[in-house]
Amino acid sequence: MADKLNKYIVSVFTEEDAKKLLYMVENQVFSENEERKEIIIMNLVAIWILSRRKCGLSRCITLYLLAMAVADLMVLITEVILNRIIYYYFPNSSLYITPVCSCIIFLVCAAKDNSVWLTVAFTFDRLIAICYQKLKAVYCIMKTASSVIAAVCLLLCLKNIPWLFSFEPVYIIDNVPWFCQSKPEFYTLPAWIGYDWLHRILSPFLPFFFIFLFNGLTVRHILVANRVRKGLLSNQGEAQVDSEMENRRKSMILLFTISGSFIMLWMPYVINFLRYRILNTYYYKDPSDPGYILQQVAYMCQLTSSCTNTCIYVVTQAKFREELKKIVRTPFTLIVKLLK
């Protein structure tokens, strides 16, 4: 199939254009595939540890973190394995027939949206738990968390269905359509332009706004509560350990680290989108083009955001680190037992 494709390109286009097209086909993916495999393993480890419920977190928090880890894993499976790694190792795969390729892109977009909006849902859950004690008993429970996660996943899958109809084949060889490229009307038809803007607004512009809003309200509440508690403790005339505020502090460290990581890693993607929409630049002549470099950096950061949560858990959660150490020690423990 690869030889047929190369001969087809050379026969139809000029030599210079053919070289450019072949370069585009051969360089659709990043070169960091080996690193991505390690990232997938990290997400699997995080899912396994969180599912054991031994990290000292509430069941509600654990459910959100577990859902976020699964969503991140789906991003890595659909985007990294199906859409990138397989291209290198199985270049003749039927996954690159246009209808199948369109379905993969749909799954990629749905997985990314779920990863983003579950982070927003987790941030909102922590806002309710910390700032609104009356609502906490009703909202911050397993039943509500399960319903929110299910609703988010369903709505975002429905929202991404139009992607299935936005692509056309790059080549048709022996009456078989190969690869996916956006239809020309995707960049000119008002309906498609509006949908593209809606897609970007929902991920990640609107999540940016909500995360900043929810975290700002949470910080304001904590600062006010700290002043009141410090005043009460100082009036008692003795130093006391405020366990409730200590627990809140640990929860906030986890919340702000996850939220901050999300914003930092999605920012290049936002900049790249604004750049190509404002400048109307959708194609690049060679890999040294600054626009192409920005695009690839944006994609790399976006994918990296799907693996940072595991590292955040390790840094901020002592019990998570203990569970991780147990996993690392298990093979050596078994070897020692066998030797005895």
Side-chain angles (χ1 to χ4, degrees):
M1 175 58 209
D3 293 336
K4 279 187 176 181
L5 182 58
N6 292 346
K7 290 178 182 177
Y8 176 82
I9 295 173
V10 173
S11 65
V12 174
F13 299 95
T14 64
E15 182 178 357
E16 183 180 355
D17 290 338
K19 287 180 180 179
K20 292 178 181 178
L21 286 170
L22 287 172
Y23 172 83
M24 291 174 65
V25 171
E26 292 170 359
N27 291 275
Q28 292 182 53
V29 297
F30 298 119
S31 62
E32 300 92 345
N33 289 332
E34 293 301 323
E35 295 179 8
R36 302 302 178 191
K37 294 175 184 176
E38 297 174 2
I39 291 169
I40 291 172
I41 294 173
M42 289 172 58
N43 274 270
L44 288 172
V45 170
I47 291 171
W48 188 78
I49 292 175
L50 289 169
S51 63
R52 287 165 56 86
R53 303 183 187 278
K54 294 183 178 180
C55 296
L57 300 170
S58 69
R59 295 181 66 188
C60 188
I61 293 178
T62 300
L63 184 60
Y64 275 110
L65 295 182
L66 191 57
M68 291 162 61
V70 171
D72 290 343
L73 180 62
M74 290 305 299
V75 172
L76 296 172
I77 290 174
T78 55
E79 173 70 7
V80 178
I81 295 180
L82 295 181
N83 201 33
R84 297 179 183 274
I85 291 179
I86 286 180
Y87 180 83
Y88 271 134
Y89 295 105
F90 306 98
N92 302 329
S93 172
S94 58
L95 291 176
Y96 289 96
I97 296 174
T98 302
V100 181
C101 175
S102 300
C103 290
I104 291 175
I105 294 174
F106 159 75
L107 292 174
V108 169
C109 293
K112 288 179 180 178
D113 283 352
N114 276 287
S115 178
V116 170
W117 279 97
L118 286 174
T119 302
V120 176
F122 172 68
T123 306
F124 182 71
D125 178 84
R126 292 301 86 204
L127 169 69
I128 298 298
I130 293 173
C131 303
Y132 303 98
Q133 295 300 311
K134 291 183 179 179
L135 287 177
K136 178 181 178 181
V138 178
Y139 187 84
C140 300
I141 56 177
M142 286 288 291
K143 183 178 179 181
T144 303
S146 301
S147 300
V148 169
I149 291 169
V152 168
C153 294
L154 177 60
L155 291 174
L156 291 175
C157 286
L158 294 174
K159 170 253 178 186
N160 283 287
I161 288 177
W163 289 116
L164 295 170
F165 308 100
S166 67
F167 297 101
E168 64 181 11
V170 179
Y171 315 107
I172 298 178
I173 303 175
D174 297 333
N175 294 322
V176 178
W178 286 94
F179 301 104
C180 290
Q181 66 178 2
S182 298
K183 295 177 180 178
E185 56 265 29
F186 180 80
Y187 300 106
T188 57
L189 198 65
W192 278 119
I193 293 174
Y195 177 75
D196 190 33
W197 273 102
L198 176 65
H199 177 70
R200 313 299 172 176
I201 289 171
L202 290 178
S203 294
F205 287 105
L206 202 57
F208 274 17
F209 169 77
F210 282 132
I211 287 175
F212 278 120
L213 175 64
F214 297 156
N215 284 346
L217 293 173
T218 305
V219 168
R220 186 184 68 173
H221 176 86
I222 288 178
L223 291 176
V224 172
N226 276 345
R227 293 195 198 100
V228 174
R229 286 180 174 274
K230 285 180 180 179
L232 292 174
L233 291 175
S234 62
N235 291 335
Q236 294 178 2
E238 57 181 26
Q240 295 186 14
V241 177
D242 192 337
S243 59
E244 182 178 346
M245 289 306 299
E246 181 64 20
N247 290 334
R248 274 187 190 175
R249 186 185 68 83
K250 292 179 180 179
S251 179
M252 288 307 304
I253 290 174
L254 177 62
L255 171 63
F256 285 140
T257 309
I258 291 176
S259 302
S261 170
F262 166 77
I263 291 171
M264 290 290 292
L265 292 172
W266 274 82
M267 191 59 69
Y269 178 84
V270 173
I271 295 172
N272 178 63
F273 168 73
L274 293 175
R275 184 200 60 77
Y276 86 71
R277 272 301 180 188
I278 293 173
L279 300 179
N280 293 321
T281 304
Y282 308 111
Y283 304 100
Y284 309 104
K285 295 180 179 179
D286 55 68
S288 62
D289 190 306
Y292 178 81
I293 295 173
L294 174 61
Q295 181 192 67
Q296 297 306 306
V297 169
Y299 289 156
M300 182 181 66
C301 291
Q302 184 190 49
L303 290 176
T304 303
S305 71
S306 298
C307 69
T308 53
N309 286 347
T310 304
C311 300
I312 291 171
Y313 304 152
V314 171
V315 172
T316 61
Q317 300 295 308
K319 291 188 178 181
F320 188 94
R321 290 195 297 272
E322 289 300 320
E323 290 296 314
L324 186 59
K325 289 176 183 177
K326 288 179 182 178
I327 294 176
V328 174
R329 288 197 298 260
T330 298
F332 300 99
T333 305
L334 292 175
I335 292 172
V336 171
K337 288 181 179 179
L338 290 174
L339 292 175
K340 288 182 178 180

